[in-house]
Amino acid sequence: MNELRYTETQILCGMREMWERDQTELFFLPRSVPFQPDDRIDEHMQSRILKWASEAIDYSDLVDLYKSLQYCFRFECTREEWSDCFRLDVYLDDYEEWERLYAADFTFRRAAQFVAERATAISFEPVNIIGQECGPAGAFCGIQELVREVKKRPREFGPSTRIRDVLKGNAFIFFWMKVRWITKQRAPKLSSSWLKLETNVVFIMLACLLCIGAIVFSLQKDPLYFFYSAFAVIPFWILVGGLMERLLDPLPPELQTFRDLAVWMAELDDEQILPEGERG
């Protein structure tokens, strides 16, 4: 039996999710422009670097990109395979020749095809229960495998378990990122305010430390007062950030439990989530 494969469109959606996840969340820096499938990867990567930084991507950036793709899509690939596919050895030896002969092929679409040929897809097809096909049960089996991909030794859970009771922090973010690209971004997007919660807490903590430093300096107090205050402020805001991350729920009311998600995925058109090899 042939292994199931994700579609090129699913992989491209996953790459967009990955790019958006990796981009900076600092409010004073511009957001990068979303890529198009036929955009060159090296040019898009260069466009994300601020002009005043005076930096340029190099061979190692292009070669090591496959590691991020491996982590996101769970496939086996060697550095040599990735390099050979896009002739990055020529890039290293003679950039002008690579630009002339091979650069046009170094696109997001071609990278998606490279991944699609190697990544084994998770099945969400209906399963047979007492002689009848059950779509939600099949989707739930796929979701269980998805959870195991993002979290080692997750606690046992059933269909009625709340998603946020099992997955928190980065495990939840990566889980939902996978749900989004597997469903071709039909799943609702997590709010940017929730995703930036950790960054915002860090900024608030730094602002508090600056205020304390200014007060200590203006009152000409012993500098030890600043360090004592810092030891109190930093753990406090770390605790606040952790509590807020756990208490605030980024999921919509209709997708709170694994059953909710399984039923929703089962109701999607097969073309939205079924990988190559499952479509009838």
Side-chain angles (χ1 to χ4, degrees), residues 9-26:
T9 303
Q10 286 175 311
I11 300 297
L12 283 169
C13 288
M15 293 172 73
R16 289 191 180 97
E17 291 289 318
M18 185 177 72
W19 247 252
E20 186 171 331
R21 164 68 179 161
D22 288 343
Q23 79 173 14
T24 180
E25 295 180 343
L26 299 180

Side-chain angles (χ1 to χ4, degrees), residues 139-190:
F140 179 71
C141 290
I143 290 170
Q144 286 180 307
E145 190 170 345
L146 205 57
V147 170
R148 288 191 290 269
E149 278 195 357
V150 301
K151 185 174 183 179
K152 294 181 179 179
R153 297 183 295 276
R155 52 163 283 195
E156 292 186 7
F157 63 92
S160 61
T161 307
R162 293 179 70 253
I163 296 172
R164 293 283 288 145
D165 287 343
V166 177
L167 299 170
K168 301 184 185 300
N170 284 332
F172 169 71
I173 291 174
F174 286 124
F175 170 79
W176 200 254
M177 182 178 75
K178 285 176 174 287
V179 169
R180 272 183 53 78
W181 67 255
I182 286 173
T183 61
K184 300 179 183 177
Q185 297 182 312
R186 292 282 297 277
K189 190 174 183 178
L190 299 178

Side-chain angles (χ1 to χ4, degrees), residues 25-67:
E25 295 180 343
L26 299 180
F27 67 90
F28 53 83
L29 295 180
R31 293 177 62 86
S32 62
V33 177
F35 67 79
Q36 298 301 315
D38 294 317
D39 288 348
R40 273 177 48 182
I41 296 175
D42 57 318
E43 291 180 345
H44 186 78
M45 291 175 68
Q46 184 64 51
S47 71
R48 298 174 65 184
I49 300 176
L50 297 174
K51 293 181 180 179
W52 53 261
S54 300
E55 294 182 11
I57 60 170
D58 57 22
Y59 171 77
S60 62
D61 295 319
L62 303 183
V63 171
D64 291 342
L65 174 63
Y66 85 93
K67 294 180 181 178

Side-chain angles (χ1 to χ4, degrees), residues 196-261:
K196 294 180 180 179
L197 178 62
E198 182 178 339
T199 302
N200 293 337
V201 168
V202 170
F203 274 121
I204 294 173
M205 181 175 67
L206 291 175
C208 289
L209 292 175
L210 288 174
C211 290
I212 293 172
I215 293 172
V216 170
F217 179 78
S218 64
L219 297 178
Q220 297 183 343
K221 296 291 185 179
D222 189 325
L224 285 176
Y225 281 105
F226 174 78
F227 292 105
Y228 294 150
S229 302
F231 280 122
V233 168
I234 293 175
F236 171 75
W237 280 108
I238 291 175
L239 177 62
V240 169
L243 289 174
M244 291 178 67
E245 192 274 333
R246 283 164 172 74
L247 294 176
L248 297 178
D249 190 352
L251 293 176
E254 65 274 14
L255 291 176
Q256 289 292 305
T257 68
F258 288 103
R259 178 188 289 114
D260 295 337
L261 181 59

